[in-house]
Amino acid sequence: QVQLVQSGSELKKPGASVKVSCKASGYTFTSYAMNWVRQAPGQGLEWMGWINTNTGNPTYAQGFTGRFVFSLDTSASTAYLQISSLKAEDTAVYYCARGLYSSNWIDYWGQGTLVTVSS
Amino acid sequence: DIVMTQSPDSLAVSLGERATINCMSSQSVLYSSKNKNYLAWYQQKPGQPPKLLIYWASTRESGVPDRFRGSGSGTDFTLTISSLQAEDVAVYYCQQYYSSPFTFGPGTKVDIK
């Protein structure tokens, strides 16, 4: 069965960096896109962008350029989200989520990784 | 960017009654040549990731109960829960995947009256 298993919660200080992993199983990793979605505490879903798991080419939504980097280790069927220069407003649950290349609705979601930024 | 709006923000419905959630996009998400609306609906229960309910505006994902129905075209869409069950208490989101960024609506919270 399809599974997306994310790394555990993180507590970071402002200015630090964090790298969230998302390990996929149960399907051919490169046959589907990987999206990233942010959910701040008590708030709605915000689409951050996606990465082409064939080419490694990322696409970032406005507001997620510069400090946010999507990457892959296709040999390990794993996608990564790295956030640098963390700010308090980056505190959120971050989801990886599988999408189709031809029409990017999301059919499977990771369990989410809570990143807390606090001094 | 396509802006998604939802109404109402929240609603409370008696068990067994109908719940109706509206979603509007700032521009059409109908891909005319394919005659498909690039719109999905998700359900998110507290403490859980979202779950796909509907794609192509009206196609139910496998395993989703048939009391969930998606309808609409162009810029106006509706998610109807025909007979609300206790397990349907959740926040519901629409999302357009017509053009990047693939924006979500703000969500509609459904509770039991």
Side-chain angles (χ1 to χ4, degrees), chain A residues 37-46 91-95, chain B residues 44 48 50 93:
Chain A
V37 176
R38 182 170 78 177
Q39 188 167 38
Q43 301 301 307
L45 304 172
E46 190 172 14
T91 295
V93 174
Y94 292 86
Y95 292 102
Chain B
Q44 187 178 31
Q48 296 184 18
Y93 296 92

Side-chain angles (χ1 to χ4, degrees), chain B residues 11-20 81 84 110-113:
Chain B
L11 75 161
V13 175
S14 300
L15 288 172
E17 296 300 304
R18 180 188 304 258
T20 302
I81 310 172
L84 192 76
V110 174
D111 271 320
I112 305 294
K113 184 187 291 183

Side-chain angles (χ1 to χ4, degrees), chain B:
Chain B
D1 297 1
I2 297 177
V3 177
M4 307 300 291
T5 56
Q6 289 183 232
S7 62
D9 295 335
S10 64
L11 75 161
V13 175
S14 300
L15 288 172
E17 296 300 304
R18 180 188 304 258
T20 302
I21 301 167
N22 301 300
C23 172
M24 185 178 300
S25 56
S26 61
Q27 62 190 76
S28 176
V29 298
L30 172 62
Y31 195 158
S32 303
S33 62
K34 297 186 176 183
N35 195 31
K36 287 188 178 294
N37 288 282
Y38 282 51
L39 185 110
W41 287 96
Y42 303 89
Q43 174 194 64
Q44 187 178 31
K45 297 181 179 180
Q48 296 184 18
K51 172 189 171 185
L52 175 66
L53 295 177
I54 303 279
Y55 56 95
W56 296 135
S58 61
T59 302
R60 211 177 295 115
E61 172 72 333
S62 175
V64 173
D66 60 8
R67 64 180 179 272
F68 291 93
R69 186 173 73 91
S71 61
S73 184
T75 61
D76 292 280
F77 301 91
T78 301
L79 176 69
T80 303
I81 310 172
S82 60
S83 175
L84 192 76
Q85 304 300 302
E87 61 264 32
D88 300 335
V89 170
V91 179
Y92 294 83
Y93 296 92
C94 58
Q95 182 200 23
Q96 64 82 19
Y97 48 94
Y98 181 87
S99 68
S100 181
F102 302 131
T103 42
F104 289 94
T108 294
K109 185 175 181 181
V110 174
D111 271 320
I112 305 294
K113 184 187 291 183

